[in-house]
C-alpha cells in the first residue's frame, strides 16, 4: 500500500490509511520499530507534521532495530529544522548519528547547519575552525559510506568556498568537490 502510494500520488487519505496499517502492526508487535517508523513516514509524506512527529517519537522510544530508531531520530530532526527549531534539530541529528554512524542524511544535515553557522559568524571567529572541522568530518563519513552522494560533495564544496578570501586555495578545492559531485549526478541522471 505504501509503495503504491509512493508510485502514484500521496493524498491525506492515503497517508492516514498507510499510517493506520503500520500503527496496527506496531501495536501487535511491540518491538517492531520499522512499523512505527513507517507510520511516521506515511504521515510525513503528506506533511501531517504533528502526526509524523508523534509516530517518530514513539519509534525512537521502542526497543528493537537501532537503524530504524536512528532514522526516526533523523526525521524528527528534519521536522524540527523545518519548524525553525535548529537546536532541537541538531540534537536529534546528533542522537541519530550516535545510534547509527552510517546514517548519511543526519550527517549531511549537521554539516549543513554548521555551514549556516560558519556563514553567520565569519572566518575570523574562533568557533569557525571547529565548525568547519566537524562539518568536514561528517561529510567525510558520508562519502566513506556512500562515495556517490551528490549532496555530500555539494555541501563539502560549499564548506571550502567559505573562507576563500583569506586562502585562495580553498576555491580550488571547492571547484574539485563541486565538479566531482556534478560527475556523480550525471552518472545517475536518467536517460532522456
Amino acid at each position: 500500500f505504501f509503495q503504491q502510494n509512493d508510485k502514484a500520488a500521496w493524498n491525506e487519505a492515503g497517508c492516514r490509511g498507510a499510517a493506520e496499517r503500520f500503527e496496527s502492526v506496531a501495536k501487535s508487535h511491540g518491538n517492531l520499530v520499522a512499523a512505527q517508523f513507517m507510520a511516521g513516514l506515511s504521515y510525513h509524506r503528506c506533511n501531517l507534521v504533528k502526526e509524523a512527529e508523534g509516530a517518530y517519537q514513539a519509534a525512537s522510544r521502542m526497543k528493537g532495530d537501532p537503524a530504524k530508531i536512528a532514522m526516526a531520530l533523523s526525521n524528527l530532526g528534519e521536522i524540527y529544522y523545518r519548524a525553525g527549531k535548529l537546536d532541537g534539530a541538531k540534537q536529534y541529528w546528533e542522537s541519530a548519528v550516535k545510534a547509527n554512524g552510517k546514517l548519511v542524511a543526519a550527517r549531511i544535515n549537521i554539516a549543513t547547519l554548521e555551514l549556516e553557522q560558519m556563514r553567520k559568524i565569519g572566518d575570523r571567529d574562533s568557533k569557525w575552525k571547529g565548525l568547519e572541522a566537524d562539518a568536514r568530518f561528517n561529510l567525510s563519513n558520508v562519502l566513506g559510506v556512500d562515495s556517490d552522494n551528490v549532496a555530500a560533495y555539494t555541501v563539502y564544496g560549499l564548506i571550502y568556498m567559505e573562507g576563500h578570501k583569506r586562502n585562495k586555495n580553498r576555491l580550488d578545492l571547492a571547484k574539485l568537490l563541486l565538479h566531482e559531485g556534478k560527475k556523480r549526478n550525471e552518472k545517475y541522471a536518467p536517460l532522456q
Side-chain angles (χ1 to χ4, degrees):
F1 186 72
F2 185 91
Q3 289 174 337
Q4 288 171 347
N5 279 310
D6 243 4
K7 288 179 185 174
W10 284 95
N11 59 43
E12 188 170 334
C15 290
R16 290 188 186 282
E20 288 169 7
R21 290 179 185 194
F22 285 119
E23 286 172 332
S24 174
V25 171
K27 286 178 185 169
S28 299
H29 306 281
N31 63 346
L32 193 57
V33 180
Q36 189 62 44
F37 169 78
M38 291 303 292
L41 191 58
S42 298
Y43 287 127
H44 213 162
R45 287 287 198 262
C46 290
N47 204 29
L48 300 168
V49 177
K50 180 180 173 189
E51 294 89 342
E53 182 178 358
Y56 291 143
Q57 290 284 2
S60 72
R61 291 187 297 270
M62 293 173 75
K63 303 280 187 246
D65 185 352
K68 294 294 188 268
I69 293 169
M71 290 168 65
L73 292 167
S74 183
N75 285 5
L76 282 165
E78 181 192 342
I79 288 171
Y80 274 57
Y81 180 79
R82 291 184 188 272
K85 301 174 183 175
L86 303 183
D87 290 339
K90 188 171 184 181
Q91 287 176 348
Y92 277 120
W93 289 328
E94 287 173 344
S95 295
V97 167
K98 284 180 188 169
N100 179 357
K102 294 182 179 182
L103 196 59
V104 298
R107 286 190 179 277
I108 291 170
N109 291 334
I110 290 169
T112 302
L113 266 183
E114 291 169 335
L115 173 60
E116 289 176 15
Q117 289 176 307
M118 289 168 62
R119 288 177 172 162
K120 284 180 186 173
I121 64 173
D123 64 351
R124 297 198 188 280
D125 190 296
S126 61
K127 296 177 186 174
W128 194 88
K129 282 187 179 187
L131 289 168
E132 180 193 21
D134 193 59
R136 287 191 348 239
F137 174 80
N138 279 301
L139 295 169
S140 293
N141 276 283
V142 169
L143 294 172
V145 172
D146 179 6
S147 63
D148 291 325
N149 193 299
V150 175
Y153 280 108
T154 302
V155 176
Y156 225 139
L158 293 172
I159 294 285
Y160 273 103
M161 287 179 74
E162 295 302 311
H164 73 278
K165 291 175 185 167
R166 291 178 67 188
N167 182 349
K168 300 289 184 198
N169 292 332
R170 292 178 70 88
L171 282 179
D172 293 335
L173 288 169
K175 287 177 190 176
L176 285 171
L177 288 162
L178 293 170
H179 178 72
E180 189 63 30
K182 182 181 177 200
K183 278 187 355 189
R184 306 289 174 148
N185 190 40
E186 289 169 356
K187 177 179 174 182
Y188 294 104
L191 298 174
Q192 296 180 4

